[in-house]
Amino acid sequence: MDYTPTKPRQDIGLPKRISKLLYIYYFMLILLFLRFFYLQIVKGDYYHLLAEGNTEQSLPLIPPRGIIYDRKHNILAKNTPSYNLAIIPAYLPRDKKLRQNLLNDISEKFLIPYDKIIKRLEYQLTSYKPIILRENLSKKEIIFLEEQEKKYSPLKVLQYPARVYTFGESVAHLLGYVGIINKKELDENRNNKLYRINSIIGKTGIERYYDVILRGIEGSEISIVNTFGEPIKDLPEKHVKPVPGKNLVLSIDGSIQELAYQMIKGKRGIILITKPSTGEVIAFVSSPSYDPNLFIDSEKVEKAFLELSTKKDNPFFNRITQGKYAVGSIFKIITALSALEDGILDPYEKVDCSKGYFELGNRVYKDWKVHGYENLFTALQKSVNVYFYKIGYKLGYAAILDYSRKLGLTSKTGIDIPDEVSSFIPTPEWKEKVFKEIWYDGDTVNAAIGQGFITLTPLAVNNIISFVAADKLYKPRIVWEIRNPYTNAVEKRFQPEVLSNYQANPKNLEYIREGLKLVTQPGGTASYHYYVSKIPIAGKTGSAQNIEKKTHSWFTSYGPLDKPLAEQYAITVMVEASGHGGSVAVPIASLLYNFIEGKMSREVVLKEIYSIYKYQGLED
Amino acid sequence: MKNIFRISAKIDLWLIIIGILLSIIGVLFIYSSNINKDHFKYIKQIISLVLGIIVYIIFATYDYKRLTEKWFFLYIAGIILLILTLIIGTKINNSKSWIKIAGFSFQTSELCKIFFIISLTSFIDKFKDNVKSFSFIIVSLLLLLPYIGLIIFQPDLGTVIVFILITFIMLFIAGIKLLYIGTLFFIAFIAIVFSFTSYVFDFYNINNIFSNILRNQVVLSIAGIILIASGFITMIIYIITPFQSKRVFYTYIVLLSMGFGLFISVPMKNFFKDYHYKRLIVLIDPEIDPLGKGYNIRQSVISIGAGKFLGQGFTSGKQNRGNFLPSEDTDFIISVIAEETGFLGVSIVILLLFFLVYKSLHIAFSARDFIGYMLAGGLSAMYISHILINLFSATGLFPVIGIPLPFISYGGSSLITNFIALGILFNIESKKFTYITK
């Protein structure tokens, strides 16, 4: 090829630029060749395998879930290896007769109904994917299988970590349980790489609230499998190690938690113990409960769940965070506090309560008993309705609403348990909207003693007494430390969080404390305490009317009063439809103070409480 | 008659032979990739090939000088065509790039590439005395602006990138100062890097002091302004000092371009859409979205690799038959060829494609006049940008932006445009010994 012009060309182009461009193109060409060479020759076999109808299969490696400890480092939740029996159908004999014989043998030796095996194997006889036949193999069975490996070659033992709750039923509402992720949970976590179909996820309680921390990060074992799912090449360079979940340390005291549950087992109610000085939750019991260990065995889950959720007293209902109750006289603390803080109440002034009722317009508001001339202290002590009708009427509802807000009664407490509901303090606007009726003074008077529309969660009630004890409102918190799974070193320590900046006048709070202390003295509504325990405490009873025959029995308290605040506890007890606050809730709380302070053993406490139930006619 | 015979003796027919050869390879693998889908696609491609040869003959005999004289008319016609496309065009694959006439869809931006190359050629020819000035580049880019502006509305980012590449290659061979091109690329590079990294931080949820500074738009803007300001100060120092040191000169150029790059990166980040960035991210991390944006690249790479040295045989590609590959007769046709004919087949195809580019550059080199030089250079730029983007995308080295492989990929508009360019190249070559005697 000769392009040289016959006549000299005008000097037009830029040959230098053209050759520069060509060098760039040559470079690109070489780059492309290298790339194709790498893909087709160097990695050719690998990609050929992939294309050969083969796919990479990733087997998840599930990390151990974080361990949950109580405040004394006793284990509340741990993992235990569980062994499942699986079968690989493709390894079964081709001959029908031989196959049936072997399956029959398996059915006998491992106690699995023959029909069940057949049903599981249906349409999958050529599959290399292991199919689980039974869960929870015993050690004996595993040894037996190892010995007879040749005979049972299609069988395989698959290990997976199962969750064990050492305190069983008593921690169910606190810790929750784990289970296979459902569609709703999957949708909620669509953008989260930690979750996939068939993931194990915390369903309620701490297990759910701290799921992301507890679960760790799954690893994977990647191999190439052919169209039948038979692994043909392992790819160890692509394996990803799982990252174990982190451990949690709770403020819960396992022994107190367990005893508290035993005390109200069989009843409907709650026991909540916290430290007013920090918001630490010491015991968190809601009854009836369920055994979270039941859910280890996924086969039983469906059955158990159906059985439990249709029970009359739904054991899945967490009464502490989701129950909204009328609290009765306990609300008098709020009324008293509002009146004192607004400066309209002289605590020493005696008020005439001798009529036994309070008249407003043409309506009469009754007391539960005729009293005499009472001041704030005796009114709290004896829970005198007329006294609080009068000061409530004088105070007006706006102040009650205001102080309720300041104590966080109109919002959630923010405890680290999922699905908490908010307490409810009605507003005049709400009443107008719902009942098409204005807020009457009568409503104010009723609210002053906790009647009417007010409903509080046990958490909110406990917050009221904690505020009285500490003059500061802390957010209740259960988990206080996150620890490294390998070294158990503390990675994060939570600090007490203040829920409301409100602080009351110390003098006013002292008046209320004085009154609440008298409650537990002879003549008070919780005088029972005086006869059971020498520990000085202060508290308030409540007997809330409801649709059932008997009132809900409430007692919220704090103590021991002779110890510094940091060593004081707040105990709130509520037993549904069991009678007056003084008769059921007070003894439970008193005995718990005895146990916590080491004055009574677990056995004595239980003996005492059962005899009280017997006396009250509250036996199951 | 005698005249024609004389011409054909002087020129060689390599280009058209390669063009037709590549088209036949294209038809074969369009057949192969649609074997269990649309059987008529390869027939449509054969019809386009026949049409292509006809337009080739027309343009091969039409004097390119007369073509370039009509540059202004063609330039306006291109713009009108693109506006029409936006108004009456039909949407295919989410881009409004097609006009339907009598049942045939035509991708107007393909033809507009030729229009634009002719226009830019004539423009450069008219002002070739000023080629070393900076304003020359600016005006050239202003000429480009309406085209890419209209195409980006379709939206078709791939074609926009092709237009930009063609323009820069043409400016390069026109002889503009390398410093200018370098500076512009440096600015674009800085802007892309910063907008992309801040997206990557968002995407992977990286939160530390370093990432928070780099993605903070205010910080970036301020840094840009500071760099521009210090650049200007250095520039003034450079101008006022009697001895104009090279070192100071480059310092101010680098400072200014870094400043402008940072400054542009802020609006740029918001301009590009999520899926643009995702296509970039999957290059680095194809596993993030194995069934979405990463899927194409992954399947394409598997297909190519599976071909090994000799391939799995025509119409026997497992990936191809299994329809794992998306757009396997356009964007990823090289993957089908690679799977079925192996490294050997791919090498032949790539060499043919590069030979085509080499030949067209040679035509530019030996052209009769500057217009012929520029025109042939522009057309070769069109080929090479398609070839490189397509092959680099299919092998997972460049984001997939949907650019066909010349002559091979399915698509009548693209094939006919490529044959027009071939015809013009032939014409330029055939005239190389013809001189205008004044």
Side-chain angles (χ1 to χ4, degrees):
Chain A
M1 281 171 279
D2 186 12
Y3 290 95
T4 330
T6 44
K7 268 209 264 176
R9 230 154 28 97
Q10 289 165 268
D11 186 19
I12 32 113
L14 294 139
K16 265 193 182 164
R17 286 283 162 104
I18 295 281
S19 60
K20 265 183 197 157
L21 211 53
L22 267 174
Y23 282 129
I24 297 174
Y25 293 171
Y26 289 147
F27 175 72
M28 296 286 186
L29 182 68
I30 290 166
L31 208 64
L32 274 173
F33 269 116
L34 285 175
R35 179 66 174 166
F36 276 102
F37 186 83
Y38 171 75
L39 291 179
Q40 300 194 284
I41 312 295
V42 180
K43 299 275 279 182
D45 286 331
Y46 167 75
Y47 286 119
H48 190 72
L49 270 179
L50 282 185
E52 201 52 54
N54 305 316
T55 40
E56 267 183 19
Q57 181 183 280
S58 152
L59 279 176
L61 296 174
I62 297 159
R65 207 173 163 82
I67 296 167
I68 304 177
Y69 297 98
D70 80 346
R71 66 186 300 123
K72 289 174 180 157
H73 289 260
N74 296 315
I75 290 174
L76 295 178
K78 63 177 178 185
N79 308 300
T80 182
S82 170
Y83 298 94
N84 291 346
L85 183 68
I87 190 164
I88 297 170
Y91 295 152
L92 280 169
R94 290 285 152 95
D95 182 68
K96 203 177 174 189
K97 200 101 196 243
L98 282 174
R99 190 167 65 223
Q100 277 175 351
N101 282 344
L102 183 65
L103 291 179
N104 255 320
D105 191 35
I106 292 170
S107 155
E108 269 172 41
K109 292 269 162 43
F110 295 96
L111 307 167
I112 314 160
Y114 183 75
D115 295 346
K116 198 175 137 189
I117 301 181
I118 295 299
K119 214 174 168 188
R120 296 230 167 154
L121 290 182
E122 229 168 10
Y123 307 120
Q124 312 200 53
L125 273 176
T126 51
S127 168
Y128 285 87
K129 274 192 186 147
I131 296 166
I132 290 173
L133 291 181
R134 220 198 81 190
E135 282 162 331
N136 286 326
L137 281 183
S138 68
K139 278 219 174 90
K140 235 169 132 186
E141 285 169 319
I142 294 166
I143 293 167
F144 171 73
L145 202 61
E146 275 169 7
E147 282 167 354
Q148 311 257 341
E149 209 190 325
K150 276 231 172 90
K151 187 179 171 192
Y152 297 110
S153 60
L155 292 184
K156 209 177 166 187
V157 178
L158 296 180
Q159 188 197 327
Y160 77 99
R163 199 72 161 155
V164 174
Y165 302 95
T166 34
F167 285 80
E169 281 185 17
S170 66
V171 293
H173 286 291
L174 171 73
L175 300 181
Y177 61 97
V178 294
I180 290 171
I181 196 165
N182 61 31
K183 201 178 168 297
K184 197 179 141 231
E185 289 159 341
L186 207 56
D187 283 346
E188 283 164 4
N189 294 302
R190 207 180 302 124
N191 295 323
N192 195 331
K193 272 187 179 180
L194 292 175
Y195 300 91
R196 55 168 176 86
I197 293 171
N198 285 334
S199 278
I200 300 287
I201 187 173
K203 293 286 183 180
T204 58
I206 296 294
E207 292 275 29
R208 180 165 136 213
Y209 199 92
Y210 291 96
D211 190 61
V212 173
I213 292 164
L214 286 167
R215 66 182 301 110
I217 302 166
E218 273 184 11
S220 53
E221 211 172 67
I222 291 174
S223 55
I224 295 182
V225 295
N226 65 18
T227 332
F228 308 107
E230 182 184 15
I232 49 177
K233 196 185 178 195
D234 190 32
L235 299 172
E237 72 276 7
K238 283 199 164 185
H239 289 190
V240 180
K241 273 194 178 163
V243 179
K246 290 176 180 163
N247 299 343
L248 299 180
V249 179
L250 316 190
S251 54
I252 297 289
D253 185 316
S255 57
I256 301 175
Q257 170 88 14
E258 198 269 343
L259 175 62
Y261 177 68
Q262 291 303 330
M263 289 172 86
I264 58 163
K265 191 178 174 182
K267 313 259 175 302
R268 286 176 286 140
I270 67 101
I271 296 176
L272 180 61
I273 308 179
T274 65
K275 279 201 159 182
S277 56
T278 54
E280 286 167 84
V281 178
I282 306 294
F284 184 100
V285 171
S286 169
S287 174
S289 183
Y290 56 92
D291 185 358
N293 289 314
L294 270 184
F295 298 95
I296 294 174
D297 198 335
S298 64
E299 270 191 34
K300 290 184 196 156
V301 170
E302 245 170 275
K303 230 174 122 192
F305 196 87
L306 269 176
E307 227 169 71
L308 292 173
S309 58
T310 50
K311 262 192 181 173
K312 190 189 146 220
D313 311 319
N314 184 356
F316 287 111
F317 183 54
N318 189 334
R319 289 174 155 72
I320 296 185
T321 53
Q322 295 173 313
K324 277 159 68 168
Y325 296 92
V327 294
S329 305
I330 286 176
F331 202 75
K332 287 171 186 167
I333 300 174
I334 303 284
T335 311
L337 181 71
S338 315
L340 284 168
E341 287 281 282
D342 266 18
I344 62 140
L345 178 62
D346 173 7
Y348 298 103
E349 188 193 341
K350 294 215 167 173
V351 177
D352 178 12
C353 305
S354 60
K355 268 204 281 186
Y357 60 85
F358 173 68
E359 256 179 313
L360 184 67
N362 52 5
R363 287 203 59 181
V364 168
Y365 298 87
K366 284 184 184 161
D367 207 334
W368 63 283
K369 185 178 151 188
V370 179
H371 296 91
Y373 280 74
E374 311 289 349
N375 63 19
L376 176 67
F377 309 108
T378 55
L380 277 171
Q381 181 186 24
K382 293 183 277 187
S383 201
V384 180
N385 286 358
V386 172
Y387 182 88
F388 287 97
Y389 288 145
K390 284 188 171 170
I391 66 165
Y393 178 61
K394 194 174 160 195
L395 178 66
Y397 190 63
I400 293 178
L401 199 58
D402 183 31
Y403 286 97
S404 299
R405 275 203 193 107
K406 280 178 177 161
L407 288 182
L409 301 186
T410 49
S411 49
K412 298 175 185 176
T413 65
I415 191 173
D416 42 353
I417 291 280
D419 295 334
E420 189 195 349
V421 299
S422 173
S423 298
F424 180 69
I425 307 287
T427 60
E429 295 79 37
W430 171 84
K431 195 192 167 194
E432 258 167 60
K433 209 173 136 198
V434 176
F435 292 97
K436 311 269 177 271
E437 224 179 43
I438 60 155
W439 186 269
Y440 297 115
D441 282 342
D443 293 315
T444 307
V445 168
N446 257 333
I449 64 153
Q451 303 282 352
F453 310 109
I454 296 169
T455 51
L456 303 184
T457 64
L459 272 172
V461 172
N462 194 69
N463 270 358
I464 297 174
I465 203 73
S466 299
F467 177 80
V468 172
D471 196 10
K472 212 173 203 183
L473 196 55
Y474 288 98
K475 186 167 156 179
R477 170 176 281 287
I478 296 168
V479 172
W480 290 82
E481 280 173 10
I482 296 172
R483 285 176 179 248
N484 186 293
Y486 297 111
T487 61
N488 214 28
V490 178
E491 286 190 356
K492 183 171 182 181
R493 180 172 280 129
F494 292 96
Q495 294 303 317
E497 245 175 281
V498 178
L499 204 57
S500 153
N501 288 323
Y502 169 62
Q503 266 180 300
N505 184 340
K507 220 168 80 192
N508 291 337
L509 218 49
E510 209 46 60
Y511 295 141
I512 290 177
R513 287 177 186 153
E514 195 53 40
L516 295 184
K517 197 173 157 187
L518 285 175
V519 172
T520 64
Q521 300 293 315
T525 52
S527 60
Y528 189 97
H529 176 78
Y530 184 77
Y531 303 108
V532 184
S533 175
K534 297 277 173 293
I535 297 163
I537 63 165
K540 182 78 196 78
T541 57
S543 313
Q545 284 158 2
N546 57 76
I547 51 165
E548 293 176 77
K549 236 191 212 164
K550 284 181 165 177
T551 55
H552 292 342
S553 170
W554 277 98
F555 183 53
T556 184
S557 63
Y558 72 97
L561 297 178
D562 52 356
K563 292 218 168 148
L565 178 67
E567 287 171 43
Q568 288 181 4
Y569 296 89
I571 300 186
T572 299
V573 178
M574 186 275 298
V575 183
E576 286 181 21
S578 62
H580 286 287
S583 57
V584 187
V586 173
I588 293 176
S590 301
L591 289 168
L592 277 168
Y593 279 111
N594 281 349
F595 178 76
I596 292 171
E597 293 301 313
K599 302 272 196 285
M600 261 187 198
S601 72
R602 178 179 183 274
E603 285 66 36
V604 177
V605 167
L606 285 176
K607 217 178 100 190
E608 282 284 319
I609 197 70
Y610 291 145
S611 73
I612 288 165
Y613 287 153
K614 198 171 175 187
Y615 178 72
Q616 303 272 355
L618 285 172
E619 283 171 306
D620 306 321
Chain B
M1 189 68 202
K2 198 183 160 195
N3 198 26
I4 290 172
F5 196 74
R6 217 187 68 214
I7 290 172
S8 63
K10 280 180 192 164
I11 49 92
D12 58 291
L13 294 166
W14 274 113
L15 267 183
I16 185 65
I17 290 169
I18 294 170
I20 292 174
L21 202 60
L22 285 170
S23 306
I24 290 170
I25 293 173
V27 169
L28 287 175
F29 285 93
I30 289 162
Y31 169 78
S32 175
S33 51
N34 289 297
I35 196 143
N36 42 15
K37 288 190 286 191
D38 186 348
H39 291 285
F40 294 104
K41 270 188 162 179
Y42 78 97
I43 295 175
K44 283 188 198 162
Q45 187 77 353
I46 291 173
I47 296 170
S48 304
L49 173 58
V50 173
L51 278 173
I53 294 172
I54 293 171
V55 293
Y56 169 80
I57 294 169
I58 295 171
F59 280 92
T61 50
Y62 191 85
D63 188 354
Y64 70 91
K65 271 274 186 197
R66 280 168 65 196
L67 202 60
T68 48
E69 275 161 15
K70 299 187 180 66
W71 75 278
F72 192 72
F73 167 75
L74 291 175
Y75 182 74
I76 300 296
I79 293 176
I80 291 171
L81 207 53
L82 288 175
I83 294 174
L84 269 179
T85 314
L86 283 179
I87 298 168
I88 60 162
T90 34
K91 241 185 181 164
I92 299 177
N93 292 337
N94 286 327
S95 293
K96 211 174 181 182
S97 318
W98 309 75
I99 286 186
K100 227 176 183 165
I101 307 163
F104 287 95
S105 301
F106 195 83
Q107 194 177 355
T108 49
S109 55
E110 287 292 338
L111 197 60
C112 287
K113 283 172 199 160
I114 303 270
F115 290 177
F116 178 72
I117 290 168
I118 293 172
S119 316
L120 191 59
T121 296
S122 309
F123 167 79
I124 291 173
D125 181 54
K126 283 202 169 52
F127 297 99
K128 62 182 166 209
D129 298 334
N130 305 320
V131 81
K132 298 267 180 222
S133 71
F134 191 70
S135 51
F136 180 81
I137 299 177
I138 298 298
V139 179
S140 309
L141 293 180
L142 283 178
L143 222 52
L144 171 68
L145 203 62
Y147 277 80
I148 57 171
L150 286 166
I151 294 168
I152 213 144
F153 271 112
Q154 295 181 352
D156 183 358
L157 189 66
T159 305
V160 169
I161 290 174
V162 168
F163 266 92
I164 293 172
L165 262 177
I166 291 174
T167 309
F168 274 102
I169 294 174
M170 285 178 76
L171 289 176
F172 178 77
I173 59 173
I176 63 162
K177 274 193 168 177
L178 286 182
L179 180 74
Y180 296 151
I181 294 191
T183 311
L184 284 175
F185 270 101
F186 189 60
I187 292 176
F189 176 75
I190 296 276
I192 288 170
V193 164
F194 275 90
S195 59
F196 181 61
T197 45
S198 81
Y199 184 84
V200 168
F201 291 141
D202 287 351
F203 187 83
Y204 287 101
N205 241 327
I206 299 169
N207 268 308
N208 51 42
I209 301 170
F210 176 70
S211 70
N212 286 340
I213 289 175
L214 278 187
R215 88 172 120 209
N216 190 319
Q217 305 206 332
V218 179
V219 173
L220 286 183
S221 312
I222 291 172
I225 290 168
I226 291 171
L227 282 170
I228 292 170
S230 47
F232 271 119
I233 293 167
T234 329
M235 186 170 85
I236 291 164
I237 293 171
Y238 174 72
I239 293 170
I240 56 172
T241 44
F243 57 96
Q244 298 191 326
S245 129
K246 265 259 153 71
R247 204 174 286 167
V248 179
F249 176 72
Y250 284 116
T251 312
Y252 96 69
I253 294 288
V254 168
L255 282 175
L256 276 181
S257 21
M258 274 179 72
F260 277 115
L262 278 181
F263 204 67
I264 294 170
S265 77
V266 176
M268 192 147 139
K269 192 204 166 190
N270 307 325
F271 177 76
F272 287 117
K273 300 281 182 308
D274 247 24
Y275 62 87
H276 291 137
Y277 289 111
K278 278 211 179 117
R279 281 178 198 173
L280 272 172
I281 288 179
V282 290
L283 283 183
I284 310 161
D285 186 3
E287 304 295 327
I288 53 149
D289 193 10
L291 294 176
K293 291 278 173 294
Y295 177 84
N296 295 2
I297 294 180
R298 199 175 150 64
Q299 293 303 332
S300 169
V301 164
I302 290 175
S303 299
I304 292 171
K308 301 219 264 185
F309 187 68
L310 285 172
Q312 302 182 357
F314 184 56
T315 69
S316 316
K318 292 263 169 16
Q319 290 280 108
N320 175 20
R321 297 298 291 261
N323 290 338
F324 285 112
L325 266 175
S327 16
E328 49 188 342
D329 52 11
T330 52
D331 304 353
F332 293 109
I333 196 156
I334 194 70
S335 318
V336 178
I337 297 175
E339 190 187 14
E340 300 190 341
T341 66
F343 185 65
L344 199 65
V346 167
S347 303
I348 293 170
V349 171
I350 296 179
L351 283 177
L352 283 175
L353 286 166
F354 270 83
F355 191 52
L356 188 86
V357 176
Y358 173 80
K359 284 297 294 182
S360 41
L361 272 180
H362 205 284
I363 290 170
F365 176 68
S366 59
R368 174 185 66 182
D369 49 16
F370 192 74
I371 283 199
Y373 166 79
M374 279 315 302
L375 193 53
L379 296 173
S380 83
M382 181 179 87
Y383 287 137
I384 194 73
S385 31
H386 278 89
I387 294 168
L388 289 180
I389 293 176
N390 179 283
L391 295 183
F392 276 85
S393 301
T395 50
L397 298 174
F398 192 78
V400 178
I401 50 178
I403 291 298
L405 196 57
F407 296 103
I408 298 178
S409 287
Y410 173 74
S413 336
S414 157
L415 191 67
I416 289 170
T417 307
N418 286 325
F419 271 108
I420 293 175
L422 222 50
I424 298 172
L425 282 168
F426 179 91
N427 191 261
I428 298 168
E429 168 153 55
S430 69
K431 296 270 167 43
K432 69 180 173 190
F433 299 125
T434 327
Y435 300 101
I436 304 152
T437 38
K438 279 184 186 167

